Coordinates of all heavy atoms in Angstrom, one line a residue:
M26 N 127.3 199.1 112.3 CA 127.0 198.1 113.2 C 125.5 198.3 113.6 O 125.0 199.4 113.7 CB 127.9 197.9 114.5 CG 127.7 199.0 115.4 SD 128.6 198.7 117.1 CE 130.2 198.7 116.6
R27 N 124.9 197.2 113.8 CA 123.4 197.2 114.2 C 123.2 196.1 115.2 O 123.6 195.0 115.0 CB 122.5 197.1 113.1 CG 121.1 197.1 113.5 CD 120.2 197.0 112.4 NE 118.8 196.7 112.7 CZ 117.6 197.0 112.2 NH1 117.6 197.8 111.1 NH2 116.4 196.7 112.7
K28 N 122.5 196.4 116.2 CA 121.9 195.3 117.2 C 120.6 195.6 117.5 O 120.0 196.7 117.5 CB 122.7 195.5 118.5 CG 124.3 195.1 118.5 CD 124.5 193.8 119.1 CE 125.9 193.4 118.9 NZ 126.8 193.6 120.1
D29 N 119.8 194.5 117.5 CA 118.3 194.6 117.7 C 118.0 194.0 119.1 O 118.4 192.9 119.4 CB 117.7 193.6 116.6 CG 117.7 194.5 115.2 OD1 118.8 194.8 114.8 OD2 116.6 194.4 114.7
G30 N 117.0 194.8 119.8 CA 116.4 194.2 120.9 C 115.0 193.7 120.4 O 114.9 193.5 119.3
I31 N 114.0 193.7 121.3 CA 112.7 193.3 121.0 C 112.0 194.6 120.4 O 111.3 194.5 119.5 CB 111.9 192.7 122.2 CG1 112.6 191.3 122.5 CG2 110.4 192.4 121.8 CD1 112.2 190.8 123.8
F32 N 112.2 195.7 121.1 CA 111.3 196.8 120.9 C 112.3 197.9 120.2 O 111.8 198.8 119.3 CB 110.8 197.5 122.1 CG 109.9 196.6 122.9 CD1 110.4 196.1 124.2 CD2 108.8 196.2 122.4 CE1 109.6 195.2 124.9 CE2 107.9 195.3 123.1 CZ 108.4 194.9 124.3
I33 N 113.6 197.9 120.3 CA 114.5 198.9 120.0 C 115.6 198.3 119.2 O 116.2 197.2 119.6 CB 115.1 199.8 121.1 CG1 113.8 200.5 121.8 CG2 116.2 200.6 120.7 CD1 113.3 201.7 120.9
A34 N 116.1 198.9 118.0 CA 117.4 198.6 117.4 C 118.1 199.9 117.4 O 117.6 201.1 117.3 CB 117.1 198.0 116.0
V35 N 119.5 199.7 117.4 CA 120.3 200.9 117.3 C 121.4 200.5 116.2 O 121.9 199.4 116.1 CB 121.1 201.1 118.7 CG1 122.2 202.1 118.4 CG2 120.2 201.7 119.8
E36 N 121.7 201.5 115.3 CA 122.5 201.4 114.3 C 123.5 202.4 114.2 O 123.1 203.7 114.5 CB 121.6 201.6 113.0 CG 121.7 200.6 111.8 CD 120.7 200.9 110.8 OE1 120.6 202.1 110.4 OE2 120.1 200.0 110.3
V37 N 124.8 202.2 114.1 CA 125.8 203.2 114.2 C 126.8 203.0 113.0 O 127.2 201.8 112.8 CB 126.6 203.0 115.5 CG1 127.7 204.0 115.5 CG2 125.8 203.2 116.7
D38 N 127.0 204.0 112.2 CA 127.8 203.9 111.1 C 129.3 203.7 111.5 O 129.7 204.1 112.6 CB 127.8 205.3 110.3 CG 126.6 205.5 109.6 OD1 125.7 204.6 109.5 OD2 126.3 206.7 109.1
D39 N 130.0 203.0 110.7 CA 131.4 202.7 110.9 C 132.3 203.8 111.3 O 133.1 203.8 112.2 CB 132.1 201.8 109.7 CG 131.5 200.4 109.6 OD1 130.7 200.1 110.5 OD2 131.6 199.9 108.7
A40 N 131.9 205.0 110.6 CA 132.9 206.2 110.8 C 132.6 206.6 112.3 O 133.7 207.2 112.9 CB 132.4 207.2 109.9
V41 N 131.5 206.4 112.8 CA 131.2 206.7 114.3 C 131.9 205.7 115.1 O 132.5 206.1 116.3 CB 129.8 207.2 114.5 CG1 129.4 207.3 116.0 CG2 129.2 208.2 113.8
A42 N 131.5 204.5 114.9 CA 131.9 203.4 115.8 C 133.4 203.3 115.9 O 134.0 203.0 117.0 CB 131.3 202.1 115.3
S43 N 134.1 203.8 114.9 CA 135.6 203.6 114.9 C 136.3 204.9 115.5 O 137.6 205.0 115.4 CB 136.1 203.2 113.7 OG 135.9 204.2 112.6
D44 N 135.5 205.9 115.9 CA 136.1 207.2 116.3 C 136.0 207.2 117.9 O 134.9 207.2 118.5 CB 135.2 208.3 115.8 CG 135.9 209.7 116.2 OD1 136.2 209.8 117.3 OD2 135.8 210.6 115.3
P45 N 137.2 206.9 118.5 CA 137.3 206.9 120.0 C 136.4 208.1 120.7 O 135.8 207.8 121.7 CB 138.7 206.8 120.4 CG 139.4 206.5 119.0 CD 138.6 207.0 117.9
A46 N 136.6 209.3 120.2 CA 136.0 210.5 120.8 C 134.4 210.4 120.8 O 133.7 210.6 121.8 CB 136.5 211.7 120.3
L47 N 133.9 209.9 119.6 CA 132.5 209.8 119.4 C 132.0 208.7 120.4 O 131.0 208.6 120.8 CB 132.1 209.6 117.9 CG 132.4 210.9 117.1 CD1 132.0 210.6 115.6 CD2 131.7 212.1 117.6
A48 N 132.7 207.5 120.3 CA 132.3 206.4 120.9 C 132.2 206.7 122.6 O 131.2 206.3 123.2 CB 133.4 205.2 120.8
A49 N 133.2 207.4 123.0 CA 133.3 207.8 124.4 C 132.0 208.7 124.8 O 131.5 208.7 125.8 CB 134.5 208.5 124.8
K50 N 131.7 209.7 123.8 CA 130.6 210.6 124.1 C 129.2 209.7 124.1 O 128.5 210.1 125.0 CB 130.5 211.4 122.9 CG 130.2 212.9 122.9 CD 130.1 213.6 121.6 CE 130.2 215.0 121.8 NZ 130.1 215.7 120.5
L51 N 129.1 208.8 123.2 CA 127.8 208.0 123.3 C 127.8 207.3 124.6 O 126.6 207.2 125.2 CB 127.8 207.0 122.1 CG 127.5 207.6 120.7 CD1 127.8 206.7 119.6 CD2 126.2 208.3 120.6
A52 N 128.9 206.7 124.9 CA 128.9 205.9 126.3 C 128.6 206.8 127.5 O 127.9 206.4 128.4 CB 130.2 205.2 126.5
E53 N 128.9 208.0 127.3 CA 128.7 209.1 128.4 C 127.2 209.5 128.6 O 126.7 209.5 129.6 CB 129.6 210.3 128.2 CG 129.7 211.2 129.3 CD 130.4 212.5 128.9 OE1 131.6 212.4 128.4 OE2 130.0 213.6 129.1
V54 N 126.6 209.7 127.4 CA 125.3 210.4 127.4 C 124.2 209.4 127.7 O 123.2 209.9 128.1 CB 125.1 211.3 126.1 CG1 126.1 212.3 126.1 CG2 124.9 210.4 124.9
C55 N 124.3 208.2 127.2 CA 123.0 207.4 127.2 C 122.8 207.0 128.7 O 123.7 206.4 129.4 CB 123.3 206.1 126.5 SG 121.8 205.0 126.5
P56 N 121.7 207.3 129.3 CA 121.2 207.1 130.7 C 121.1 205.6 131.0 O 121.1 205.2 132.1 CB 120.0 207.9 130.8 CG 119.4 208.0 129.6 CD 120.5 208.0 128.6
V57 N 120.9 204.7 130.0 CA 120.7 203.3 130.3 C 121.7 202.5 129.7 O 121.5 201.2 129.5 CB 119.3 203.0 129.9 CG1 118.2 203.6 130.6 CG2 119.1 203.2 128.4
D58 N 122.9 203.1 129.4 CA 124.0 202.3 129.1 C 123.9 201.4 127.8 O 124.4 200.2 127.9 CB 124.7 201.5 130.2 CG 125.2 202.3 131.3 OD1 125.5 203.6 131.1 OD2 125.1 202.0 132.6
I59 N 123.2 201.9 126.9 CA 123.2 201.1 125.6 C 124.5 201.2 124.8 O 124.8 200.2 124.0 CB 122.0 201.7 124.7 CG1 120.7 201.2 125.4 CG2 122.0 201.3 123.3 CD1 119.4 201.8 125.0
F60 N 125.4 202.2 125.0 CA 126.7 202.2 124.4 C 127.8 202.0 125.3 O 127.7 202.5 126.5 CB 126.8 203.7 123.7 CG 125.8 204.0 122.8 CD1 124.6 204.9 123.1 CD2 125.8 203.4 121.5 CE1 123.8 205.2 122.3 CE2 124.8 203.7 120.6 CZ 123.8 204.6 121.0
A61 N 128.8 201.3 125.0 CA 129.9 201.2 125.8 C 131.1 201.5 124.9 O 131.2 201.3 123.8 CB 130.1 199.8 126.5
A62 N 132.2 202.0 125.6 CA 133.5 202.3 124.8 C 134.6 201.7 125.5 O 135.2 202.3 126.5 CB 133.6 203.8 124.6
E63 N 135.0 200.4 125.2 CA 136.2 199.8 125.7 C 137.3 200.0 124.9 O 137.3 199.6 123.7 CB 135.7 198.2 125.9 CG 134.7 198.1 127.0 CD 135.0 198.6 128.3 OE1 136.2 198.6 128.7 OE2 134.1 199.0 129.2
G64 N 138.3 200.6 125.4 CA 139.6 200.7 124.6 C 139.4 201.5 123.4 O 140.1 201.3 122.4
G65 N 138.4 202.4 123.5 CA 138.2 203.4 122.3 C 137.1 202.7 121.2 O 136.8 203.5 120.3
A66 N 136.9 201.5 121.3 CA 136.0 200.9 120.4 C 134.6 200.9 121.0 O 134.4 200.4 122.0 CB 136.3 199.4 120.1
L67 N 133.6 201.3 120.1 CA 132.3 201.3 120.4 C 131.6 199.9 120.5 O 131.9 199.1 119.6 CB 131.4 202.2 119.4 CG 129.9 202.4 119.9 CD1 129.9 203.3 121.1 CD2 129.1 202.9 118.8
E68 N 130.8 199.8 121.6 CA 130.1 198.5 121.6 C 128.6 199.0 121.9 O 128.2 199.9 122.6 CB 130.5 197.8 122.7 CG 130.2 196.3 122.8 CD 130.6 195.7 124.1 OE1 131.7 195.9 124.5 OE2 129.8 194.9 124.8
I69 N 127.8 198.2 121.2 CA 126.2 198.3 121.4 C 125.8 197.3 122.4 O 126.1 196.1 122.1 CB 125.3 198.3 120.2 CG1 125.8 199.4 119.1 CG2 123.9 198.4 120.5 CD1 125.2 199.4 117.8
V70 N 125.4 197.6 123.6 CA 125.1 196.7 124.6 C 123.7 196.1 124.5 O 122.7 196.7 124.8 CB 125.3 197.3 126.0 CG1 125.2 196.3 127.1 CG2 126.6 198.0 126.2
E71 N 123.7 195.0 123.9 CA 122.4 194.3 123.4 C 121.4 194.2 124.6 O 120.2 194.4 124.4 CB 122.7 192.8 122.8 CG 121.7 192.6 121.7 CD 122.2 191.3 120.9 OE1 123.5 191.1 121.0 OE2 121.4 190.7 120.3
K72 N 121.9 193.7 125.7 CA 121.0 193.5 126.9 C 120.2 194.7 127.3 O 119.3 194.5 128.0 CB 121.6 192.7 127.9 CG 122.7 193.6 128.8 CD 123.2 192.7 129.8 CE 124.4 193.3 130.6 NZ 124.2 194.6 131.2
N73 N 120.8 196.0 127.0 CA 120.1 197.1 127.4 C 119.3 197.8 126.5 O 118.6 198.8 126.7 CB 121.3 198.2 128.0 CG 122.0 197.6 129.2 OD1 121.4 196.8 129.8 ND2 123.1 198.1 129.4
L74 N 119.2 197.4 125.3 CA 118.6 198.0 124.2 C 117.2 198.4 124.5 O 116.7 199.4 124.3 CB 118.6 197.2 122.8 CG 119.9 197.2 122.0 CD1 119.9 196.3 120.9 CD2 120.0 198.7 121.4
D75 N 116.4 197.4 125.1 CA 115.0 197.7 125.3 C 114.7 198.6 126.5 O 113.6 199.1 126.7 CB 114.2 196.4 125.5 CG 114.1 195.6 124.1 OD1 114.0 196.3 123.1 OD2 114.3 194.4 124.1
E76 N 115.8 199.0 127.0 CA 115.7 200.1 128.3 C 115.7 201.4 127.7 O 115.5 202.3 128.5 CB 116.9 199.9 129.2 CG 117.0 198.5 129.9 CD 115.8 198.0 130.7 OE1 115.3 198.9 131.4 OE2 115.6 196.8 130.6
C77 N 115.8 201.6 126.4 CA 115.9 202.9 125.8 C 114.7 203.8 126.2 O 113.5 203.3 126.1 CB 116.0 202.8 124.3 SG 115.9 204.3 123.4
V78 N 115.0 205.0 126.7 CA 114.0 206.0 127.1 C 113.5 207.0 126.1 O 112.9 207.9 126.4 CB 114.3 206.5 128.5 CG1 114.3 205.5 129.6 CG2 115.6 207.3 128.5
L79 N 114.0 206.8 124.8 CA 113.9 207.7 123.7 C 114.1 209.1 123.9 O 113.4 210.1 123.6 CB 112.3 207.5 123.3 CG 111.8 206.2 123.1 CD1 110.2 206.2 122.8 CD2 112.6 205.5 122.0
C80 N 115.3 209.5 124.7 CA 115.7 210.6 125.3 C 116.3 211.5 124.2 O 116.5 212.7 124.3 CB 116.5 210.5 126.5 SG 118.1 209.8 126.1
R81 N 116.9 210.9 123.1 CA 117.5 211.4 121.9 C 118.9 212.0 122.3 O 119.5 212.8 121.5 CB 116.6 212.6 121.4 CG 115.4 212.2 120.9 CD 114.6 213.3 120.1 NE 115.3 213.7 119.0 CZ 115.0 213.2 117.8 NH1 114.0 212.4 117.6 NH2 115.7 213.4 116.7
L82 N 119.4 211.8 123.6 CA 120.7 212.4 124.0 C 121.9 211.8 123.0 O 122.6 212.6 122.7 CB 120.9 212.0 125.4 CG 120.1 212.9 126.4 CD1 120.5 212.3 127.8 CD2 120.4 214.3 126.3
C83 N 121.7 210.5 122.6 CA 122.6 210.1 121.7 C 122.7 210.7 120.3 O 123.7 211.0 119.7 CB 122.5 208.6 121.5 SG 121.0 208.1 120.9
L84 N 121.4 211.0 119.8 CA 121.3 211.8 118.6 C 121.7 213.2 118.6 O 122.4 213.7 117.6 CB 119.8 211.6 118.1 CG 119.1 210.2 118.0 CD1 117.8 210.3 117.6 CD2 120.0 209.4 117.2
D85 N 121.4 213.8 119.8 CA 122.0 215.2 119.9 C 123.5 215.2 120.0 O 124.2 216.1 119.5 CB 121.4 215.8 121.2 CG 119.9 216.0 121.1 OD1 119.4 216.0 120.0 OD2 119.2 216.2 122.2
A86 N 124.0 214.2 120.7 CA 125.5 214.2 120.9 C 126.3 213.9 119.6 O 127.5 214.4 119.3 CB 125.9 213.1 122.1
V87 N 125.7 213.0 118.8 CA 126.3 212.5 117.4 C 125.3 212.7 116.5 O 124.7 211.7 116.1 CB 126.9 211.2 117.7 CG1 127.7 210.7 116.4 CG2 127.8 211.0 118.8
P88 N 125.1 213.8 115.9 CA 123.9 213.9 114.9 C 124.0 213.3 113.6 O 123.0 212.9 113.1 CB 124.0 215.6 114.7 CG 124.8 216.2 115.8 CD 125.7 215.0 116.1
E89 N 125.2 212.8 113.2 CA 125.2 212.0 112.1 C 125.7 210.6 112.3 O 126.8 210.5 113.0 CB 126.3 212.6 111.1 CG 125.9 214.1 110.6 CD 124.9 214.1 109.5 OE1 124.9 213.0 108.6 OE2 124.1 215.0 109.4
G90 N 125.0 209.7 111.8 CA 125.6 208.4 111.8 C 125.0 207.5 113.0 O 125.6 206.3 113.3
V91 N 124.1 207.9 113.8 CA 123.5 207.1 114.9 C 122.0 207.1 114.6 O 121.4 208.1 114.3 CB 123.9 207.7 116.3 CG1 123.1 206.9 117.3 CG2 125.2 207.7 116.5
R92 N 121.4 206.0 114.6 CA 119.9 205.8 114.4 C 119.3 204.9 115.6 O 119.8 203.9 115.8 CB 119.5 205.3 113.0 CG 119.8 206.3 112.0 CD 119.8 205.7 110.6 NE 120.9 204.7 110.4 CZ 122.2 205.0 110.0 NH1 122.4 206.4 110.0 NH2 123.1 204.1 110.0
V93 N 118.4 205.4 116.1 CA 117.4 204.6 117.1 C 116.2 204.2 116.4 O 115.4 205.2 116.0 CB 117.2 205.3 118.4 CG1 116.5 204.5 119.5 CG2 118.5 205.7 119.0
L94 N 116.0 202.9 116.2 CA 114.9 202.5 115.4 C 113.7 201.9 116.4 O 114.1 200.9 117.2 CB 115.3 201.5 114.4 CG 116.4 201.9 113.5 CD1 116.9 200.9 112.5 CD2 116.0 203.1 112.7
K95 N 112.5 202.3 116.3 CA 111.4 201.7 117.1 C 110.9 200.5 116.3 O 110.1 200.6 115.3 CB 110.4 202.7 117.3 CG 110.9 204.0 118.0 CD 109.9 205.0 118.3 CE 109.8 206.0 117.2 NZ 108.9 207.2 117.5
L96 N 111.3 199.3 116.7 CA 110.8 198.1 116.0 C 109.3 197.9 116.2 O 108.6 197.2 115.4 CB 111.6 196.9 116.5 CG 113.2 197.0 116.3 CD1 113.8 195.8 117.0 CD2 113.5 197.2 114.9
Y97 N 108.8 198.5 117.3 CA 107.2 198.3 117.5 C 106.5 199.3 116.7 O 105.3 199.3 116.7 CB 107.0 198.6 119.1 CG 107.5 200.0 119.7 CD1 106.7 201.1 119.6 CD2 108.8 200.1 120.0 CE1 107.1 202.2 120.0 CE2 109.2 201.2 120.5 CZ 108.4 202.4 120.5 OH 108.8 203.6 120.9
E98 N 107.2 200.2 115.9 CA 106.5 200.9 114.9 C 107.1 200.8 113.6 O 107.6 201.7 112.9 CB 106.7 202.5 115.4 CG 105.8 203.0 116.4 CD 105.9 204.5 116.7 OE1 106.6 205.1 116.0 OE2 105.2 204.9 117.7
D99 N 107.2 199.5 113.3 CA 107.8 199.1 111.9 C 109.2 199.6 111.6 O 109.5 199.9 110.5 CB 106.9 199.5 110.7 CG 105.5 198.7 110.8 OD1 105.6 197.6 111.3 OD2 104.5 199.3 110.4
G100 N 110.1 199.8 112.7 CA 111.4 200.3 112.6 C 111.6 201.8 112.3 O 112.5 202.4 111.7
A101 N 110.5 202.6 112.8 CA 110.5 204.0 112.5 C 111.7 204.6 113.3 O 111.9 204.3 114.5 CB 109.2 204.7 112.9
A102 N 112.4 205.6 112.6 CA 113.5 206.2 113.3 C 113.1 207.2 114.4 O 112.0 208.0 114.2 CB 114.5 206.9 112.3
L103 N 113.8 207.2 115.5 CA 113.5 208.2 116.6 C 113.8 209.5 116.0 O 115.0 209.6 115.5 CB 114.2 207.8 117.9 CG 114.2 208.8 119.0 CD1 112.7 208.8 119.6 CD2 115.0 208.4 120.2
Ligands
SF4_214 S1 117.7 207.7 122.8 FE1 118.4 208.0 124.9 S2 118.3 206.0 126.0 FE2 117.8 205.6 123.8 S3 120.0 205.1 123.1 FE3 119.8 207.2 122.9 S4 120.7 208.0 124.6 FE4 120.2 205.8 125.1

């Protein structure tokens, strides 16, 4: 799944999005609530995307299958 804000896009592979433990981990670590895990299913919260502080906590928590893209830098990956 992928959602785009104005400055930031987030992409999550299906294998991660459908794993309740990984979804919960992402929801827990992001300081600006870009991830939510309702009933075990991952949701990317579109309205919060541009609040991303580039902290990499999501990438550290789930090293494979999550990408934070800087749309203001031609989509360069964080
Ligand atoms: S880099 Fe930080 S603020 Fe941005 S989505 Fe990941 S955890 Fe959230």
Side-chain angles (χ1 to χ4, degrees):
M26 69 169 68
R27 172 177 169 151
K28 291 254 175 96
D29 287 48
I31 293 170
F32 304 112
I33 293 291
V35 168
E36 231 171 42
V37 180
D38 290 351
D39 290 346
V41 171
S43 61
D44 182 319
L47 295 181
K50 214 178 202 186
L51 288 169
E53 184 189 316
V54 297
C55 180
V57 294
D58 295 335
I59 284 170
F60 303 100
E63 291 300 328
L67 183 73
E68 195 190 315
I69 299 173
V70 183
E71 208 167 342
K72 69 178 171 62
N73 292 343
L74 278 170
D75 289 324
E76 305 298 323
C77 176
V78 292
L79 310 176
C80 66
R81 304 187 67 94
L82 289 174
C83 56
L84 306 179
D85 291 344
V87 183
E89 296 282 328
V91 178
R92 287 167 297 281
V93 177
L94 307 173
K95 297 183 270 185
L96 299 178
Y97 56 92
E98 276 182 14
D99 292 330
L103 176 66

